[in-house]
Amino acid sequence: MSLSRISAYVSRPARRINRMAGIRTRLLSTQLPSVPASLAVVRTLPTPQELEEAELEADIIPKDKVQVMLTDRAAQQLKSISSREGNSQAAVRISVESGGCHGFQYKIELATQRGPGNYHLIHPSVQPSNLYVDPISLSMINGSTVDFATELIGSSFRVVDNPHAKGGCGCGVSWEMK
């Protein structure tokens, strides 16, 4: 397919002209299209008793202050995991740990049930789409988006657009708190 036919499939705002060494070349925008996401609904809050029993010293963020976005494709993947496991409580648990070259890193793992002291978040329209987060980690990812990305090297859940993170390592695993 010729370049002119390919460029017909790219919208005008996504194209830009770059002149280098007198050669006119077309570059596609490096911005990725936005992914549909919804504000996650808090199904369950941790109780003070659960935090005490788990020996966690953390503030409970009220339901109306939890601002975690969940993309539609992450919710679909969570639903698929629940179906495959035959467990409507199957979920992904997200926590923040100290480590990595920039101080913090996300730990994302499969879970079969909500742990004591965890928030239980769900997508408002795709269910089951369970996400469990401990209160300390939630305070560090509140305002972020949880997404599911598929690439040539593999697929994974990711925390993106974290308003509490400033910079990170080149591999994208660790990040620094603002």
Side-chain angles (χ1 to χ4, degrees):
M1 187 179 274
S2 72
L3 180 58
S4 61
R5 292 181 96 193
I6 292 171
S7 64
Y9 293 104
V10 179
S11 67
R12 286 197 187 279
R15 288 187 294 193
R16 63 186 171 147
I17 305 300
N18 182 22
R19 294 184 188 266
M20 292 178 55
I23 300 172
R24 199 172 153 176
T25 59
R26 288 182 193 203
L27 298 177
L28 299 178
S29 171
T30 57
Q31 292 182 342
L32 298 174
S34 62
V35 176
S38 299
L39 184 63
V41 175
V42 179
R43 178 167 274 173
T44 309
L45 287 168
T47 65
Q49 294 81 13
E50 288 177 331
L51 295 180
E52 189 176 316
E53 289 171 11
E55 298 180 4
L56 288 174
E57 290 186 33
D59 293 328
I60 297 174
I61 300 172
K63 280 186 178 186
D64 63 331
K65 300 292 184 197
V66 176
Q67 300 292 311
V68 174
M69 300 294 287
L70 189 58
T71 65
D72 293 353
R73 64 183 173 202
Q76 288 295 336
Q77 187 64 26
L78 289 167
K79 182 178 180 177
S80 172
I81 290 168
S82 287
S83 175
R84 185 175 56 238
E85 297 294 318
N87 178 359
S88 64
Q89 294 301 305
V92 166
R93 185 181 320 277
I94 297 177
S95 59
V96 175
E97 297 180 335
S98 61
C101 55
H102 274 74
F104 295 100
Q105 58 191 7
Y106 302 113
K107 181 178 179 185
I108 302 175
E109 60 188 358
L110 295 178
T112 57
Q113 63 184 11
R114 178 182 167 265
N118 284 177
Y119 284 82
H120 179 186
L121 308 175
I122 59 170
H123 190 276
S125 60
V126 179
Q127 295 174 18
S129 56
N130 303 308
L131 186 64
Y132 302 137
V133 185
D134 67 84
I136 295 170
S137 297
L138 182 60
S139 70
M140 299 171 91
I141 68 166
N142 203 16
S144 301
T145 300
V146 176
D147 191 17
F148 184 78
T150 301
E151 298 174 346
L152 291 175
I153 59 171
S155 302
S156 63
F157 286 93
R158 297 184 181 169
V159 176
V160 296
D161 300 329
N162 186 343
H164 305 286
K166 83 170 180 188
C169 65
C171 67
V173 172
S174 68
W175 52 280
E176 185 177 353
M177 194 75 144
K178 282 185 179 175

